Amino acid sequence: MTPRLRTALVLLLAALALAAPASGLVVENADLTPAEVNLLFAMREYTLTYNEYADRLPGWVTGPFADETVNLYVTSPDGVLVMGITFHDKKVIQFDAKGCPDPIVTVTTDVATVEAVMVSDRPFDTFRAAMQNGTATIEGNNLLGMLRTGMVLFGFRVMDILGM
């Protein structure tokens, strides 16, 4: 082996050793607390469950946002974590820890509500209860978002009136 090749090999191995994480997952966004990182990855994992469940949700809930982006603001004692969610054909296709530019709506809630929805056997009902008790809100960010949000909120009211 020539000295030049040996030097190149040593530099390559050193670069790989320095680049490889010592213990598992590395998150580069230093602004996230460990609790927020855990919540972020739990939400990403829950996306698989949501996508299986999405077809069972009422069309008036999923339809207005079927091919849109939504920002989820999750409040905690540490601050506010913004998560961008991109939907296509009622399914979550992208999850962004930094939020989405120009989302159609913003959903605001707290960590406890997000966790309750994720572990619930009836996540739609759990979210609806959070809307009723004020721990979750939906706000349209533009005219189309306001109209679509109004349609969803109207549907929730009808369900309440009918006792569903």
Side-chain angles (χ1 to χ4, degrees), residues 45-83:
E45 184 68 27
Y46 180 71
T47 297
L48 299 172
T49 301
Y50 171 83
N51 284 345
E52 290 177 18
Y53 187 80
D55 290 331
R56 293 186 279 168
L57 291 171
W60 56 266
V61 173
T62 57
F65 312 111
D67 295 310
E68 301 290 349
T69 57
V70 172
N71 276 346
L72 173 64
Y73 284 62
V74 182
T75 60
S76 73
D78 298 326
V80 178
L81 175 62
V82 180
M83 294 184 231

Side-chain angles (χ1 to χ4, degrees), residues 110-128:
D110 58 14
V111 173
T113 301
V114 171
E115 290 172 344
V117 168
M118 287 191 300
V119 299
S120 176
D121 291 337
R122 301 185 69 173
F124 175 73
D125 292 334
T126 303
F127 180 75
R128 191 168 140 230

